[in-house]
Amino acid sequence: RVRPLNSNEVSRTDNFSLEFPGEGQVTIETNGATRNFQFTGVFEPDATQEELFENCGITRLVDMALNGYACTALAFGQTGSGKTHTMTGPPHQFIDGNLTDQSMIGLIQRSFKYLYQQVKNSPENTVIRASYLEIYNEQVIDLLNPSHKRYLSVRWSKNKGFYVENLFSIECAAMDDLKAVLEEGMRNRTNGSHGLNENSSRSHSMLTVTIDSEAQDQDDENLYITKRGKLTFVDLAGNEKVRDTNSTGGTLSEANCINKSLLILGNCISHLGDSKRRQGHIPYRDSKLTKLLADSLGGNGVTLMIACVTPSSHNAGETLNTLRYASRAKKIKTKPVIKMDPREKLILSLKREVKVLRNENHYLRQQLEFPAKPKGQLQKENDEKFMTFMKEQERKDILYITESGLYEMLQEYMVENEALRTENSDHHSTKDRIRREQQGLYRENEKLMKRVEELERYIQVFFFALFGI
Ligand code: ADP
Ligand code: MG
């Protein structure tokens, strides 16, 4: 997304360094060289917040999250390029609480609205929860619980993957609850409980909405399928700091690392975007941010990355950097799968099996011209119709067998079988006899061989005594 030139850039009479040839292309001119990039979509400076929401694909991500997938929307770019504007709209709305121009609200609030609309129109039981955190200088801070002074730990478990321990998470029954989470977190982020002015441009914020839904099986009212989808909105720190770290060749020591997380994120993206290196080790564990984004980036989720840039020639170097980063990220391919815990998975597979068996049962009943069983009901002993039907069938079968001479036919088979069995047993005893005979012959052969060897030795001794050779 390319923001318009700001007043500062205009008064400095900066040139416009970008061109938009169409169909997702962006051309940038830096130091006399022109480079072309291809993206899924490009939002030019005059694109409104509404247009971005409608066309960036976020509604598809919300729908997927409702269906149990882990989806992430991520804003990336240098400080002042429009990440926060894109995600939430003007920050002052969260401080003074008034936003006169409602058309300025960002992707997050619009997604919330869409999410609750979809929930309202869906027959499923849905429980929405939210958490909001910030990663500053490799420390995780709970934005919903700022009075809690301790930094939170990132842990790993087999079922959950990476997660933040003791992170506050709140149930949001209505859209206003979710908006309150965003507002509270944004206020705490801007105020910065640790009192650092530059905090927001140097920190990453991550708002996670988990969506648990329980759906009734279409064919069976007694069957329920539960899924846990996730929708995460990430406003990343300004990436110009990363290049600063690189250019000074600084090591990644905690002291001089401006933003370790972002640097590692770049490494992970490079690995994941490279078809050869993708199979190898991806350094997710090297930073808190990449641990928490592991699933979004290379795992089972779907991620929308919005690269924010200024068109100003003054920042063309940074813009080129961002575009390169984004085009590398575009090469990443994930395999989205619905998230369920292993127990859930087993239950679901059993439910599917039951469904298949029910279909089979239904088919067989049709074949027998027996009335269909009501949906979701098990066969009961007191199903009178069924029992009389079975008795009737049994009687019919006996009649049928005797009437049609099947009984005689069966007897013939039995006699034939018996004959075959006797023949087989004869064969077996013949085989045994032959084997015994064979073994006798072997033994006799061995004896003869020994006799031959003995004779040879006698002849040798005889010749030696006679001729001395
Ligand atoms: P970042 O979060 O990337 O540091 P911001 O979102 O805070 O950047 O944007 C910096 C300034 O530019 C803000 O004053 C913001 O209102 C303005 N701005 C950013 N993008 C746009 C846009 N698309 N249209 C109008 N103003 C924008
Ligand atoms: Mg910002």
Side-chain angles (χ1 to χ4, degrees):
R1 185 184 198 189
V2 186
R3 72 155 165 76
L5 287 171
N6 63 28
S7 55
N8 196 10
E9 291 163 341
V10 170
S11 64
R12 211 167 43 196
T13 63
D14 290 356
N15 285 324
F16 206 93
S17 68
L18 301 174
E19 272 179 47
F20 315 110
E23 291 173 14
Q25 293 180 78
V26 177
T27 305
I28 179 165
E29 209 188 300
T30 46
N31 305 323
T34 306
R35 289 182 183 82
N36 189 54
F37 291 90
Q38 173 76 56
F39 299 105
T40 318
V42 176
F43 294 89
E44 298 178 26
D46 57 359
T48 63
Q49 299 282 69
E50 170 77 17
E51 282 165 350
L52 181 100
F53 171 76
E54 293 291 342
N55 300 298
C56 72
I58 191 76
T59 51
R60 253 164 56 208
L61 263 67
V62 175
D63 287 333
M64 284 183 80
L66 275 162
N67 278 315
Y69 293 95
C71 298
T72 309
L74 201 134
F76 175 80
Q78 79 177 114
T79 303
S81 61
K83 299 182 293 293
T84 307
H85 178 86
T86 297
M87 293 310 255
T88 56
H92 71 82
Q93 62 181 306
F94 303 105
I95 300 164
D96 53 29
N98 62 51
L99 183 67
T100 40
D101 188 357
Q102 279 299 314
S103 71
M104 294 306 274
I105 57 162
L107 198 68
I108 296 183
Q109 298 94 316
R110 289 168 198 269
S111 305
F112 287 174
K113 195 173 164 199
Y114 179 76
L115 170 67
Y116 280 89
Q117 263 171 18
Q118 296 296 88
V119 167
K120 205 175 140 201
N121 296 334
S122 152
E124 299 183 2
N125 297 324
T126 308
V127 177
I128 294 174
R129 300 185 71 85
S131 64
Y132 204 178
L133 64 86
E134 181 175 59
I135 303 174
Y136 178 77
N137 206 14
E138 278 307 283
Q139 304 290 0
V140 178
I141 300 150
D142 193 339
L143 286 174
L144 299 184
N145 199 7
S147 58
H148 184 78
K149 293 284 179 225
R150 274 186 40 224
Y151 296 128
L152 304 180
S153 313
V154 177
R155 306 221 178 272
W156 189 86
S157 86
K158 209 177 156 201
N159 285 346
K160 288 197 268 186
F162 289 108
Y163 68 98
V164 178
E165 192 178 46
N166 294 326
L167 181 67
F168 191 68
S169 136
I170 187 162
E171 190 176 327
C172 302
M175 187 179 70
D176 281 345
D177 301 332
L178 198 48
K179 268 167 88 178
V181 164
L182 173 71
E183 282 157 17
E184 170 75 6
M186 282 299 281
R187 250 196 313 275
N188 289 327
R189 192 182 185 203
T190 325
N191 295 338
S193 55
H194 26 72
L196 286 149
N197 300 338
E198 273 207 57
N199 170 40
S200 100
S201 69
R202 291 185 174 197
S203 73
H204 316 285
S205 73
M206 195 181 281
L207 192 158
T208 304
V209 182
T210 54
I211 307 164
D212 289 323
S213 52
E214 200 179 46
Q216 201 170 47
D217 192 281
Q218 278 174 354
D219 306 320
D220 188 342
E221 60 208 20
N222 293 329
L223 296 187
Y224 283 89
I225 296 163
T226 55
K227 294 165 287 187
R228 164 162 291 186
K230 217 167 67 166
L231 193 57
T232 308
F233 296 94
V234 187
D235 188 350
L236 289 174
N239 62 321
E240 71 283 357
K241 313 282 184 193
V242 176
R243 209 203 47 192
D244 287 348
T245 322
N246 272 340
S247 59
T248 53
T251 56
L252 281 177
S253 78
E254 209 68 339
N256 69 1
C257 159
I258 294 175
N259 208 322
K260 178 181 165 183
S261 280
L262 212 49
L263 198 62
I264 309 292
L265 176 65
N267 282 345
C268 289
I269 289 178
S270 297
H271 277 75
L272 289 164
D274 183 325
S275 57
K276 283 185 204 115
R277 287 196 293 173
R278 191 179 301 150
Q279 313 303 329
H281 170 73
I282 314 289
Y284 295 122
R285 284 181 178 271
D286 291 359
S287 82
K288 304 241 161 81
L289 177 75
T290 45
K291 279 180 184 173
L292 296 178
L293 286 179
D295 206 35
S296 312
L297 290 172
N300 306 322
V302 178
T303 298
L304 164 70
M305 181 165 174
I306 304 175
C308 298
V309 294
T310 158
S312 154
S313 54
H314 189 77
N315 285 310
E318 276 316 329
T319 300
L320 178 63
N321 212 22
T322 303
L323 296 178
R324 277 203 187 120
Y325 217 104
S327 67
R328 238 179 282 150
K330 193 172 167 282
K331 292 191 190 128
I332 301 176
K333 289 191 171 58
T334 56
K335 284 197 190 94
V337 294
I338 292 179
K339 192 117 180 149
M340 269 186 291
D341 78 35
R343 222 180 26 201
E344 259 316 311
K345 240 185 201 163
L346 178 67
I347 292 171
L348 189 66
S349 77
L350 291 174
K351 281 176 179 174
R352 289 214 175 105
E353 207 174 304
V354 168
K355 200 170 156 181
V356 170
L357 290 172
R358 288 212 171 129
N359 284 343
E360 198 177 305
N361 181 279
H362 182 71
Y363 171 76
L364 291 170
R365 279 173 162 259
Q366 268 183 344
Q367 292 292 303
L368 294 168
E369 291 171 2
F370 187 70
K373 196 168 44 162
K375 266 186 190 174
Q377 258 189 31
L378 290 176
Q379 188 60 61
K380 294 188 185 89
E381 283 292 326
N382 59 8
D383 188 341
E384 265 177 47
K385 268 190 192 165
F386 181 76
M387 297 316 281
T388 37
F389 171 82
M390 286 309 280
K391 279 195 187 118
E392 177 69 8
Q393 285 300 310
E394 255 171 48
R395 202 176 57 79
K396 266 195 203 161
D397 284 351
I398 294 165
L399 279 177
Y400 179 68
I401 287 172
T402 41
E403 272 170 13
S404 64
L406 263 177
Y407 187 73
E408 281 80 31
M409 208 164 105
L410 266 177
Q411 280 215 317
E412 272 171 33
Y413 276 129
M414 276 159 79
V415 171
E416 196 182 329
N417 249 350
E418 198 49 46
L420 280 169
R421 240 180 256 135
T422 323
E423 200 180 314
N424 269 355
S425 121
D426 282 351
H427 286 324
H428 277 298
S429 48
T430 316
K431 227 164 93 181
D432 281 347
R433 193 169 37 92
I434 293 173
R435 200 178 295 134
R436 272 198 304 276
E437 277 175 17
Q438 236 174 10
Q439 277 168 354
L441 281 171
Y442 279 138
R443 274 196 296 274
E444 212 163 298
N445 266 354
E446 263 174 44
K447 272 187 211 156
L448 285 171
M449 286 300 282
K450 269 189 194 137
R451 283 297 303 272
V452 171
E453 278 172 21
E454 262 169 40
L455 277 172
E456 274 176 355
R457 268 201 301 279
Y458 278 133
I459 292 166
Q460 271 177 7
V461 171
F462 177 73
F463 270 84
F464 187 75
L466 210 59
F467 310 109
I469 46 171

